Amino acid sequence: MCGIIGIISTQEVSSRIVNSLKKLEYRGYDSAGIATLVDGNINEVKCEGRVDVLERDISKFNLKGDIGIGHVRWATHGKPSKINAHPHSSEQVSVVHNGIIENSTILKKLLEKKGYVFKSQTDTEVIAHLVTDYLKKNSLKNTIIKVLKKLHGSFALGIIFKDQNDLMVGAKRGSPLAVGYGPNENYIGSDSYALKSMTNKISYLEDGEFCIVKKDQIEFFDNVGSHINKKVLNLSKNEIDYDKGDYKYFMEKEIDEQPSTISDCINEYIDKYNNQVNILNFPWKTSSIKSVMLIGCGTAFHSCLIAKYWMEQSTNLDVSVDIASEFRYRKVRFKKDCLYIFVSQSGETADTYAALDLCKKNKVKTCAVVNVVESSIARNADLVLPIHCGQEIGVASTKAFMGQMLVLYILSLKISFDQKSITREEYKHKVENLLSLSNSAKKTLKVDQKILNIAKVFAEAKGSMFLGRGYSFPIALEGALKLKELAYVHAEGYPAGEMKHGPLALIEEGMPVVVLAPRDEHYKKTISNMQEVIARGAKVLLITNKNKDEVISENIWEKIEVDQLDEDLIPFLITIPLQKLAFYSALKKGYDIDKPRNLAKSVTVE
Ligand code: M6R
């Protein structure tokens, strides 16, 4: 996590650094800071809290300088505070860092023995002192080579030097770093998004590489200091100015955008004239794929889980799912006939990227389902299937989940058609059905008034449960995750059939429980499980779909019905009331909806 920006120019840089930091806040927002070089002195302004606070503080200092670095932090080592905010400076250099230096404790001890005094509790401060120490006996370039060799762990770095008013350094291992080319100025940044208002010409550093950035020149080096050439990418010029419109919160807007997410994605992947899936760039013969492994974190992992149900239902593939942070450390037996699918909104999640990297090293087939098409994951996978849902700003993922599910559903349809594991009629029927999904999603959005009242109970609860079977189980997990991250209410997602194997003991009088029971093959069994929790005092919110038969059950507290679609499409609809439930519960408690505590939008540390 954390966001880096660096600018070297012929003009003052602080206001542009602040503007870029605002764009990077999705990476961390517990503290922020900036350092500029003015007449051989490094001037720092840092604060606990958001970039707005930093901006206010900077205005008091009249921060000058045409070289500068800035940072937004998501704390790893040391609590969020002004002293722990980046940049971290020694008497010679100032450093901003994303990632984690795993051997920082050892390095700190060595440096302390040499007399260096540490001000913060961060791992980053060792870099500042280490660079200072090496600079005593080495050229700048050799210093960087030696320092990078000493550091264990992951990092993206931006460094400015007190005695060098004509350059800054960028380096990368693990965490992403983009380098931008401007007119009489150049930049480094955690991503192209932070640089887009200044340039559309970008290069990306690869692991082990570093660069020396001057106003009119950028030199790139590998880990031993040999010059390398980098490809310059031309990004699309139109910077989409994504604002809240009439909404107060991005999350609220993003939930409401889901019908368009669905139709945009369908327009990309479905040929409506021929009623077929259009994934033209699929680079393999489907017959060469015997199994699929889906990998992601958090919400993206939940979309992987649901894809397992779809793929097992309609294809002949063996399907497994794993959490990226587990997959990357398991002793995986890589298979040439397996397609490894990486799902990530940001495309920068450190664990998901590392899992992809592992697959690349083992030369197996890789596919990325991402939102950010310029991301590290997208750039490294063999096949990229974008979810086309536009920028997602709310830290809680909503429309991206919808897009991830949809792309995975469509991919599953393609494979089942190619494999002939479903009939042509079934295939056409499924493709056709997809076309009504956006409209049903639009109708499902109209539950606000009802959810508002229900949310009052969830917001005040000590704990809650979300239950479902089959397709509804991953949605139960996702509903629980949303409530946890936004309303800070303990919530457990559980397969309804597992309740009597332990969790039933948690149910007590008045505990709110969501039961997802669409009219599918599990319906009757889920309703029985619902009875069991009602009998023990739970307040049940039942989410099902409209049907001519009434739900036969007494003492249901509240009920929400979504459209009656084929059962494999119901997950898309029942997701929506759960997103709104979390949103209104957080709203009720007055929490920061777009930036929940302790979280960040892009998790670039493991
Ligand atoms: O960018 P990614 O999709 O790879 O992010 C994965 C998770 O960090 C993310 O889905 C997280 O769980 C969300 N905050 C959930 O709302």
Side-chain angles (χ1 to χ4, degrees):
M1 353 262 260
C2 306
I4 287 179
I5 175 77
I7 308 179
I8 177 161
S9 176
T10 47
Q11 293 166 25
E12 293 199 350
V13 292
S14 68
S15 62
R16 283 189 295 153
I17 288 180
V18 169
N19 285 341
S20 298
L21 288 181
K22 285 184 184 163
K23 296 193 173 156
L24 286 168
E25 264 195 323
Y26 75 92
R27 294 176 154 265
Y29 38 80
D30 57 42
S31 48
I34 178 170
T36 58
L37 189 64
V38 187
D39 302 330
N41 286 314
I42 290 171
N43 294 334
E44 264 181 20
V45 182
K46 310 205 282 190
C47 70
E48 186 182 339
R50 306 279 161 89
V51 178
D52 287 346
V53 182
L54 181 74
E55 191 171 27
R56 202 189 54 213
D57 291 353
I58 288 176
S59 65
K60 293 181 206 149
F61 288 96
N62 185 21
L63 194 66
K64 296 202 171 305
D66 50 20
I67 306 181
I69 47 178
H71 191 263
V72 281
R73 179 168 186 249
W74 182 87
T76 59
H77 289 56
K79 64 176 185 182
S81 66
K82 186 171 172 173
I83 204 91
N84 288 333
H86 300 211
H88 289 283
S89 303
S90 66
E91 72 269 26
Q92 282 301 323
V93 300
S94 191
V95 179
V96 283
H97 164 223
N98 292 352
I100 294 178
I101 304 303
E102 289 166 356
N103 57 340
S104 62
T105 318
I106 303 169
L107 293 174
K108 187 174 174 182
K109 278 193 186 133
L110 294 174
L111 288 160
E112 278 174 335
K113 272 193 195 143
K114 288 184 162 189
Y116 291 95
V117 179
F118 283 75
K119 289 178 271 189
S120 74
Q121 290 94 47
T122 65
D123 52 342
T124 306
E125 200 178 345
V126 296
I127 306 172
H129 294 306
L130 207 56
V131 173
T132 305
D133 199 51
Y134 275 104
L135 274 175
K136 288 179 180 158
K137 292 192 184 140
N138 295 277
S139 67
L140 185 138
K141 190 175 143 191
N142 282 340
T143 294
I144 300 301
I145 296 167
K146 287 183 177 167
V147 167
L148 298 186
K149 227 181 236 167
K150 278 268 172 207
L151 301 177
H152 296 175
S154 64
F155 51 78
L157 298 176
I159 313 174
I160 56 172
F161 303 79
K162 197 174 152 196
D163 296 335
Q164 295 278 353
N165 65 359
D166 62 340
L167 61 83
M168 63 183 173
V169 164
K172 168 195 154 58
R173 188 197 299 153
S175 307
L177 196 72
V179 180
Y181 307 80
N184 299 321
E185 57 182 33
N186 290 311
Y187 327 93
I188 56 171
S190 297
D191 59 30
S192 59
Y193 176 58
L195 305 182
K196 251 187 175 172
S197 62
M198 300 179 284
T199 184
N200 68 328
K201 287 196 174 355
I202 304 275
S203 295
Y204 288 99
L205 289 189
E206 297 300 329
D207 282 349
E209 295 175 354
F210 69 96
C211 57
I212 297 181
V213 183
K214 298 184 175 173
K215 290 180 183 87
D216 50 1
Q217 182 199 22
I218 307 178
E219 289 179 291
F220 294 94
F221 304 94
D222 64 12
N223 59 346
V224 290
S226 305
H227 258 105
I228 46 172
N229 293 320
K230 299 292 298 180
K231 216 159 80 189
V232 181
L233 308 171
N234 273 306
L235 305 180
S236 82
K237 277 209 178 92
N238 17 341
E239 201 195 351
I240 300 153
D241 197 11
Y242 188 66
D243 62 29
K244 291 189 200 133
D246 293 337
Y247 292 86
K248 208 162 167 209
Y249 304 98
F250 279 112
M251 183 199 180
E252 188 185 17
K253 181 170 186 242
E254 285 157 3
I255 292 173
D256 280 3
E257 278 173 354
Q258 291 178 112
S260 324
T261 302
I262 294 171
S263 41
D264 291 351
C265 201
I266 285 175
N267 287 341
E268 284 295 327
Y269 290 110
I270 301 291
D271 170 352
K272 290 182 189 162
Y273 298 102
N274 297 306
N275 251 357
Q276 64 187 28
V277 173
N278 227 349
I279 301 183
L280 299 174
N281 54 346
F282 199 76
W284 310 283
K285 279 196 174 139
T286 318
S287 57
S288 69
I289 301 170
K290 301 282 180 262
S291 59
V292 157
M293 167 68 90
L294 295 132
I295 297 154
C297 299
T299 289
F301 169 69
H302 296 154
S303 68
C304 294
L305 270 182
I306 188 142
K308 176 178 165 76
Y309 286 82
W310 286 321
M311 288 183 177
E312 283 180 345
Q313 188 69 35
S314 62
T315 72
N316 291 328
L317 301 170
D318 280 336
V319 189
S320 346
V321 181
D322 211 344
I323 292 176
S325 55
E326 292 298 314
F327 175 87
R328 64 182 287 195
Y329 292 114
R330 285 197 299 114
K331 205 167 175 333
V332 174
R333 274 155 209 92
F334 290 95
K335 293 188 268 171
K336 297 281 174 216
D337 57 6
C338 179
L339 175 60
Y340 295 82
I341 302 178
F342 298 86
V343 182
S344 174
Q345 187 286 129
S346 61
E348 297 294 353
T349 299
D351 285 316
T352 313
Y353 179 74
L356 166 65
D357 193 44
L358 196 61
C359 288
K360 294 293 292 176
K361 286 186 177 128
N362 282 279
K363 299 190 170 39
V364 288
K365 302 177 181 71
T366 56
C367 165
V369 175
V370 291
N371 194 27
V372 183
V373 288
E374 288 138 8
S375 61
S376 306
I377 291 175
R379 282 183 282 118
N380 283 285
D382 301 327
L383 167 67
V384 183
L385 299 176
I387 61 173
H388 297 289
C389 73
Q391 202 182 345
E392 188 182 64
I393 295 195
V395 165
S397 190
T398 52
K399 63 175 181 174
F401 180 58
M402 201 55 83
Q404 289 161 355
M405 287 199 291
L406 195 50
V407 169
L408 292 169
Y409 182 88
I410 291 170
L411 179 63
S412 161
L413 263 185
K414 179 205 159 39
I415 297 175
S416 46
F417 179 72
D418 289 358
Q419 284 190 331
K420 300 194 173 44
S421 51
I422 55 173
T423 63
R424 197 177 176 77
E425 290 65 42
E426 282 171 319
Y427 172 71
K428 293 277 173 201
H429 170 80
K430 281 178 187 292
V431 172
E432 222 170 83
N433 266 0
L434 267 180
L435 305 182
S436 59
L437 186 58
S438 170
N439 202 29
S440 293
K442 203 180 272 169
K443 285 199 242 162
T444 314
L445 284 171
K446 295 180 186 148
V447 284
D448 295 68
Q449 203 45 50
K450 197 163 203 178
I451 292 275
L452 201 62
N453 291 324
I454 297 169
K456 286 180 191 151
V457 172
F458 277 84
E460 300 310 329
K462 245 183 13 212
S464 62
M465 300 213 70
F466 289 67
L467 309 178
R469 286 171 176 253
Y471 295 126
S472 301
F473 164 52
I475 305 300
L477 292 178
E478 175 60 8
L481 176 63
K482 289 281 98 79
L483 191 71
K484 280 183 260 208
E485 73 175 327
L486 287 158
Y488 319 151
V489 171
H490 182 238
E492 292 238 28
Y494 240 88
E498 273 290 291
M499 284 300 283
K500 50 176 85 66
H501 299 289
L504 207 49
L506 289 171
I507 303 291
E508 50 186 47
E509 199 59 41
M511 180 186 199
V513 174
V514 176
V515 176
L516 303 173
R519 319 290 178 131
D520 56 17
E521 56 170 324
H522 304 288
Y523 175 66
K524 287 190 179 143
K525 294 200 182 339
T526 313
I527 293 295
S528 300
N529 298 139
M530 178 179 76
Q531 287 307 335
E532 289 156 9
V533 293
I534 291 178
R536 285 157 182 88
K539 269 183 118 139
V540 164
L541 162 63
L542 170 68
I543 302 184
T544 182
N545 50 346
K546 292 188 189 105
N547 192 277
K548 55 184 179 359
D549 302 325
E550 263 297 294
V551 179
I552 305 165
S553 176
E554 285 175 6
N555 300 325
I556 297 169
W557 170 49
E558 285 288 0
K559 186 170 76 177
I560 288 175
E561 288 180 324
V562 300
D563 269 6
Q564 171 70 312
L565 299 180
D566 279 3
E567 61 182 67
D568 54 357
L569 294 184
I570 295 296
F572 294 97
L573 301 185
I574 60 176
T575 296
I576 293 171
L578 301 185
Q579 296 169 337
K580 293 222 172 208
L581 176 64
F583 171 78
Y584 282 115
S585 302
L587 193 67
K588 170 87 186 50
K589 292 171 111 171
Y591 291 159
D592 190 339
I593 289 181
D594 289 330
K595 294 193 174 82
R597 71 180 179 203
N598 303 339
L599 301 180
K601 183 73 183 155
S602 179
V603 183
T604 55
V605 292
E606 65 170 301

